[in-house]
Amino acid sequence: MTLAGWLLILGFTALVALLAKPFGLWLFALYEGRPTALHRLAGPIERGFYRLSGIDPTSEQRWRTYALHLLMFQVVTTLFTYAVLRLQGVLPLNPRGFPGVGADGAMNTAISFVTNTNWQWYSGEATLSNLSQMLGLATHNFLSAATGIAVAFALFRGFARTETGTVGNFWADLTRITLYLLLPASIIYALFLVVCGVPQTFAGSVDATTLEGARQTIALGPVASQEAIKMLGTNGGGFFNANSAHPFENPSALTNLVQMLSIFVLGAGLTYTFGKAVGNTRQGWAILSAMLALFLVGASVTYWQEAAGNPALHQIGLAGANMEGKEVRFGIAASALFAAVTTAASCGAVNAMHDSFTAIGGLVPMFNMQLGEIVIGGVGSGIYGFLLYALLAVFIAGLMVGRTPEYVGKKIEAREVKLAVLAIVILPLCILGFTALAVVLPAGLAGPLNKGPHGFSEVIYAFSSAAGNNGSAFAGLSAGTPFYNGLLGVAMWLGRFLVIIPVLAIAGSLAAKKHTPATSGSFPTTGGLWIGLLVATILIVGGLTFLPSLALGPVADHLTLLSGKLY
């Protein structure tokens, strides 16, 4: 470990905190539907879209209607992407002549990008055409991110409104978020990446002669445009198989820092938006403080373990940090920080191979995902997932003080607590249930390339990533099979939409309630005690749920390395 490494982690965290307010204010303008500086330019496009589609953006929807329209949209776009991938071989913009994707792989990929997971069982540069990358995948990078923010906005309205049955209009939210935030920010970001050396071309490849005289085919394509929304939308699906470890996706230390910041800025900004929505920005700062506290612990443990190196190698006299699977351009600190960032958010982009991390260094990214990636979290999904834990924490606090729990002016009663618990329990059911199937069925056991605890870690990491809608992987798992494509696809769909539906139900329930003013008997939800309770609730729930499986995987892996046993 070095001072420079610690300064990178602390400086990055400080930058995230500083950027939360400006991004939060822009998001708050979209939440309220107020004009922004871009409305003069993009306003006619928005109004034209409403006229063509017959949508009335002023027509408010109850939570059931909001949820129904959201789910219908996801189903239609999933089928559209499935068709694009299957027909890839006969569609244009396919300079390298790739055939259509197989049925199970196409469905897995369509579900993956619709759910903001962006799990990739394939090598992008060797499987997908430029059209598939742009129309089939990059489109979802915008729409899935906008969907997550829209759900967060609906939940914010549930807390902010009183005695009403509506939580907004899904189509208006989706359109404004895409048109006034994600699209313009991605254009600016993509131009920055092009300046830094990231390709943006319709060419399929270029042939080059190496210094040794050999000829090499180098894949190209519209990389910068996909890379920008991949990060801003916490999507994570790379144009290349090596993802952000590839120099065409992430060419320098500057782009590496900007990529990490772009993963976090919208999720952090939404905490400030929440505070503005409920009329008390201290509520948002309290949530962000709890998120950053969890993140700092995870990033520090990962850096410590990767800098400490592999104990099995130390025993044979090879001392040093663990550089296996890492880019020398970034080194230990930047690789460990990136791993913590991408799994604390539902991003999944990687600049190092997590399968090559030390056992405990790999445990942290896995545990981040098992918590539902609420540590900053994905765009929208992070804040609404965190608020589920906030409802659970305030319920516990209410039991301790002997009165009905209250949070930001709303009484939290049995209906909200049951819905919150239902949403929280979906992830462990998917992760642990599907992992159990995979490690007892022959088709599942054929996937992991490693034996022993590390092989188990590869399997549970995959289902943690799928159900948590992250998309990163322990690359030692051969997941491009009908068994894993099917089961991981189901996990991705359930992990996304069986959380969103209870969240929208909570929004509708809260919106119908009266505002309850705080009294001297109310539990304060802005100070250090509240932040500590939030963090403790998250860690206890996550720890009690996943500790046995972590003991069988990364913990056992670490102990066997210490004992000198290898598999």
Side-chain angles (χ1 to χ4, degrees), residues 202-224:
F202 286 138
S205 61
V206 63
D207 291 329
T209 302
T210 68
L211 293 175
E212 293 83 6
R215 292 186 63 80
Q216 181 179 1
T217 299
I218 301 173
L220 297 173
V223 183

Side-chain angles (χ1 to χ4, degrees), residues 207-285:
D207 291 329
T209 302
T210 68
L211 293 175
E212 293 83 6
R215 292 186 63 80
Q216 181 179 1
T217 299
I218 301 173
L220 297 173
V223 183
S225 56
Q226 184 160 320
E227 190 72 14
I229 188 58
K230 154 192 163 181
M231 295 302 186
L232 277 172
T234 60
N235 296 284
F239 191 96
F240 299 100
N241 186 47
N243 208 276
S244 288
H246 197 292
F248 281 179
E249 289 200 29
N250 190 9
S252 67
L254 175 61
T255 57
N256 193 63
L257 176 62
V258 172
Q259 286 191 10
M260 289 189 292
L261 286 172
S262 59
I263 292 171
F264 266 12
V265 288
L266 296 184
L270 281 166
T271 63
Y272 189 83
T273 305
F274 173 71
K276 287 283 290 182
V278 298
N280 183 355
T281 56
R282 292 180 63 194
Q283 298 286 353
W285 288 121

Side-chain angles (χ1 to χ4, degrees), residues 450-476:
N450 291 275
K451 298 180 181 180
H454 197 78
F456 177 79
S457 294
E458 289 173 348
V459 176
I460 194 170
Y461 191 104
F463 287 105
S464 299
S465 179
N469 300 135
N470 180 269
S472 66
F474 265 20

Side-chain angles (χ1 to χ4, degrees), residues 37 145 286 329 334 340 348 376 403 411 425 489 498:
R329 293 177 297 139
I376 299 298
R403 57 175 293 164
K411 288 187 179 294
V425 81
L498 289 193

Side-chain angles (χ1 to χ4, degrees), residues 140-211:
H140 284 300
N141 289 350
F142 287 94
L143 298 178
S144 65
T147 297
I149 298 175
V151 174
F153 281 0
L155 184 57
F156 294 175
R157 295 186 185 107
F159 282 106
R161 293 179 175 181
T162 58
E163 298 181 274
T164 180
T166 60
V167 294
N169 184 299
F170 170 70
W171 303 108
D173 286 339
L174 188 77
T175 303
R176 290 167 182 160
I177 293 162
T178 303
L179 195 57
Y180 299 115
L181 173 66
L182 297 177
L183 188 59
S186 295
I187 291 172
I188 296 170
Y189 192 179
L191 291 173
F192 163 77
L193 291 174
V194 170
V195 170
C196 292
V198 177
Q200 181 68 20
T201 175
F202 286 138
S205 61
V206 63
D207 291 329
T209 302
T210 68
L211 293 175

Side-chain angles (χ1 to χ4, degrees), residues 418-431:
K418 290 176 182 177
L419 288 168
V421 171
L422 176 63
I424 289 171
V425 81
I426 290 300
L427 259 65
L429 283 175
C430 290
I431 294 169

Side-chain angles (χ1 to χ4, degrees), residues 234-563:
T234 60
N235 296 284
F239 191 96
F240 299 100
N241 186 47
N243 208 276
S244 288
H246 197 292
F248 281 179
E249 289 200 29
N250 190 9
S252 67
L254 175 61
T255 57
N256 193 63
L257 176 62
V258 172
Q259 286 191 10
M260 289 189 292
L261 286 172
S262 59
I263 292 171
F264 266 12
V265 288
L266 296 184
L270 281 166
T271 63
Y272 189 83
T273 305
F274 173 71
K276 287 283 290 182
V278 298
N280 183 355
T281 56
R282 292 180 63 194
Q283 298 286 353
W285 288 121
I287 290 174
L288 182 59
S289 298
M291 288 178 169
L292 291 179
L294 287 165
F295 166 72
L296 272 173
V297 172
S300 299
V301 171
T302 305
Y303 178 40
W304 164 48
Q305 284 295 297
E306 294 309 298
N310 190 324
L313 295 180
H314 294 174
Q315 291 175 11
I316 60 174
L318 297 176
N322 178 37
M323 276 299 294
E324 180 187 346
K326 297 179 179 64
E327 268 287 322
V328 293
R329 293 177 297 139
F330 305 131
I332 297 294
S335 299
L337 178 59
F338 202 111
V341 168
T342 195
T343 53
S346 62
C347 185
V350 295
N351 74 350
M353 299 302 104
H354 295 179
D355 193 42
S356 296
F357 276 35
T358 61
I360 303 302
L363 180 151
V364 172
M366 189 186 304
F367 191 57
N368 280 343
M369 296 185 298
Q370 290 170 346
L371 292 178
E373 298 187 291
I374 57 172
V375 185
I376 299 298
V379 284
S381 60
I383 183 66
Y384 67 65
F386 202 94
L387 287 172
L388 294 174
Y389 278 97
L391 295 179
L392 191 58
V394 82
F395 172 70
I396 295 170
L399 293 178
M400 291 191 292
V401 299
R403 57 175 293 164
T404 302
E406 300 169 8
Y407 187 53
V408 294
K410 293 296 177 73
K411 288 187 179 294
I412 308 303
E413 297 174 301
R415 175 178 171 79
E416 292 79 36
V417 175
K418 290 176 182 177
L419 288 168
V421 171
L422 176 63
I424 289 171
V425 81
I426 290 300
L427 259 65
L429 283 175
C430 290
I431 294 169
L432 299 177
F434 291 154
T435 298
L437 284 175
V439 297
V440 297
L441 296 177
L445 290 172
L449 298 181
N450 291 275
K451 298 180 181 180
H454 197 78
F456 177 79
S457 294
E458 289 173 348
V459 176
I460 194 170
Y461 191 104
F463 287 105
S464 299
S465 179
N469 300 135
N470 180 269
S472 66
F474 265 20
L477 183 73
S478 299
T481 64
F483 175 84
Y484 276 107
N485 278 336
L487 209 56
L488 288 167
V490 172
M492 288 185 277
W493 189 270
L494 296 181
R496 177 73 161 181
F497 298 113
L498 289 193
V499 174
I500 282 178
I501 293 172
V503 166
L504 291 174
I506 291 171
S509 178
L510 292 175
K513 293 177 180 283
K514 296 180 179 179
H515 179 78
T516 304
T519 67
S520 58
S522 300
F523 185 84
T525 55
T526 56
L529 180 61
W530 167 244
I531 294 170
L533 180 61
L534 264 178
V535 171
T537 301
I538 292 166
L539 290 178
I540 290 171
V541 171
L544 291 177
T545 304
F546 292 105
L547 182 58
S549 60
L550 293 174
L552 291 172
V555 174
D557 195 9
H558 180 70
L559 294 176
T560 54
L561 284 174
L562 289 177
S563 68

